[in-house]
Amino acid sequence: LGYCICLTEFRDPHTSDWIERFLDSNNLLEYHGTGAFNMTRFESWDTVFVQMMDQPKEKLTIQAPRRGPGGRPTGGSKNNPFLQQKQFREFHIDIDPSSLVPRILSVREQIAREFGIDLELVRIANDQILKSYENKVRDEKVPSVTFERGAQMLLADTMSMERFAPSPLRKGTYDLLQLLSLHESIFRVLRGYKDVGKRVAYAWLTDFMVLRLEDFFDGPGGYQRADDFTEELLLSSPSVKNMGDGSTELVDPLAIASDILRMRSEVLLDWKETAAEVPTYHIGLRKDLLSRQSKDWKVEAEEEEDLVQLPDDIGAFE
């Protein structure tokens, strides 16, 4: 997506369209959310690049309106039959999938560098949620807001002091880091509850999550969904959960929220280490790409040599 935005800014929407067709994903430039890729086809993050390297080169034929000085369309009157035939011009664009891979990897590495900063910002904001909620409950009988949503302000302050220009996706990826880290922490907490036998907490959180999965986590959606989900969890009242065997137990949503937010800090620290290793993960792909390109260059050189091969009876200067 980051590379597609770069292509559009450099007035090359055709290569961006080719990437969307290759990925079977439409409107990537407008997409904000999860699930844009076909995970059956692309089983892991590097499958996209391996398959892209295997794609043959293409030549696209583009038709564009003829334009005169100042960018105005040419062709005279629209009712002139003699000029209608020449109102469009054709040009060709070469698509070399192998050459797209290293450019996308470079964009991916820049985003990973930003992740190293942004994951820490999300962690700082996450660690303030419970404290902010408790202060609101203590100081206000009917709080105007459940907790202070300070994550976006942290990002804005950080970006204003940075010396390098941020990627055009910075705010979007930052919001998705909040959402995905919350999603991962919930499932880690669920696995933990299951392992230690907390059946009631496990059942309640599973039901709570399933009812909200589509609205908050799956597919495209708006910003701040992570904070919206957390707010609903904090505002949930304690209840009695009836189990299938007839037993009942009190459920404390605040304790569950505390477990999730604590786990989220661990997730963010884990991901921060992973983001720092992204250039290392790319080494194998870059080596494979270089090997493939070397073979292509050798074949092209041999083809060019065959084309310029001269008969023995013709001199080199004839």
Side-chain angles (χ1 to χ4, degrees):
L1 176 57
Y3 185 59
C4 288
I5 291 177
C6 293
L7 289 171
T8 303
E9 290 181 349
F10 283 99
R11 299 185 179 181
D12 183 11
H14 312 293
T15 303
S16 177
D17 291 342
W18 183 92
I19 293 174
E20 287 189 352
R21 290 195 299 272
F22 166 73
L23 296 173
D24 293 328
S25 299
N26 298 322
N27 300 319
L28 274 180
L29 295 175
E30 305 296 330
Y31 197 95
H32 178 74
T34 61
F37 283 3
N38 182 345
M39 298 305 296
T40 302
R41 177 184 170 192
F42 305 116
E43 296 179 354
S44 60
W45 68 268
D46 57 345
T47 309
V48 175
F49 301 107
V50 173
Q51 291 190 18
M52 185 176 288
M53 287 189 285
D54 290 335
Q55 299 301 304
K57 296 179 181 180
E58 293 186 28
K59 185 182 290 289
L60 304 180
T61 301
I62 309 298
Q63 283 191 336
R66 293 184 179 275
R67 296 187 177 277
R72 294 188 299 272
T74 61
S77 171
K78 64 180 181 179
N79 298 319
N80 189 332
F82 299 100
L83 297 176
Q84 288 296 312
Q85 299 176 356
K86 298 183 178 180
Q87 287 187 1
F88 291 88
R89 62 185 180 90
E90 288 188 352
F91 60 94
H92 302 285
I93 294 179
D94 294 318
I95 302 292
D96 182 2
S98 292
S99 70
L100 298 179
V101 172
R103 301 171 192 173
I104 298 174
L105 291 179
S106 296
V107 174
R108 194 170 187 265
E109 289 173 6
Q110 179 185 348
I111 293 175
R113 286 194 295 271
E114 293 178 346
F115 277 7
I117 300 170
D118 296 349
L119 286 164
E120 180 63 20
L121 298 180
V122 175
R123 190 186 68 81
I124 293 172
N126 176 76
D127 292 347
Q128 296 298 317
I129 290 176
L130 273 181
K131 184 182 296 185
S132 174
Y133 170 75
E134 291 169 354
N135 290 338
K136 291 286 184 181
V137 171
R138 185 185 66 246
D139 298 338
E140 303 177 34
K141 293 182 179 179
V142 182
S144 55
V145 292
T146 308
F147 59 89
E148 294 294 339
R149 302 188 178 196
Q152 293 296 329
M153 184 64 69
L154 276 174
L155 177 64
D157 292 342
T158 300
M159 290 174 61
S160 66
M161 294 183 291
E162 288 176 338
R163 295 182 179 180
F164 59 88
S167 69
L169 292 172
R170 184 75 176 273
K171 293 182 179 180
T173 55
Y174 183 78
D175 181 76
L176 290 179
L177 284 177
Q178 293 179 264
L179 185 67
L180 293 173
S181 62
L182 180 62
H183 184 272
E184 173 65 15
S185 64
I186 290 170
F187 279 96
R188 288 194 189 185
V189 167
L190 283 171
R191 287 194 293 269
Y193 285 166
K194 188 175 183 180
D195 291 342
V196 300
K198 290 187 175 182
R199 296 189 308 139
V200 175
Y202 176 84
W204 187 91
L205 181 55
T206 299
D207 293 342
F208 187 87
M209 181 68 172
V210 168
L211 289 174
R212 294 161 178 79
L213 192 62
E214 184 175 347
D215 292 337
F216 290 97
F217 296 101
D218 286 352
Y223 283 63
Q224 297 194 25
R225 283 181 285 171
D227 285 343
D228 292 341
F229 180 92
T230 304
E231 183 174 274
E232 285 198 18
L233 181 58
L234 290 172
L235 292 176
S236 298
S237 301
S239 60
V240 175
K241 180 71 176 178
N242 296 313
M243 304 303 292
D245 58 4
S247 62
T248 60
E249 189 173 330
L250 181 66
V251 177
D252 183 3
L254 182 59
I256 293 175
S258 178
D259 290 341
I260 292 173
L261 294 174
R262 189 161 46 247
M263 179 61 72
R264 193 184 188 195
S265 287
E266 296 181 16
V267 169
L268 291 164
L269 288 173
D270 291 344
W271 286 5
K272 185 177 178 180
E273 293 180 4
T274 302
E277 296 296 322
V278 165
T280 304
Y281 299 150
H282 289 171
I283 291 176
L285 275 173
R286 292 187 183 276
K287 287 182 177 179
D288 186 18
L289 177 62
L290 183 59
S291 176
R292 291 168 184 251
Q293 289 178 331
S294 298
K295 293 178 181 179
D296 291 340
W297 294 335
K298 183 178 180 180
V299 171
E300 291 176 0
E302 291 175 351
E303 291 176 350
E304 290 179 2
E305 184 177 344
D306 292 339
L307 289 174
V308 299
Q309 191 75 34
L310 298 174
D312 294 336
D313 57 345
I314 298 180
F317 294 99
E318 293 186 45

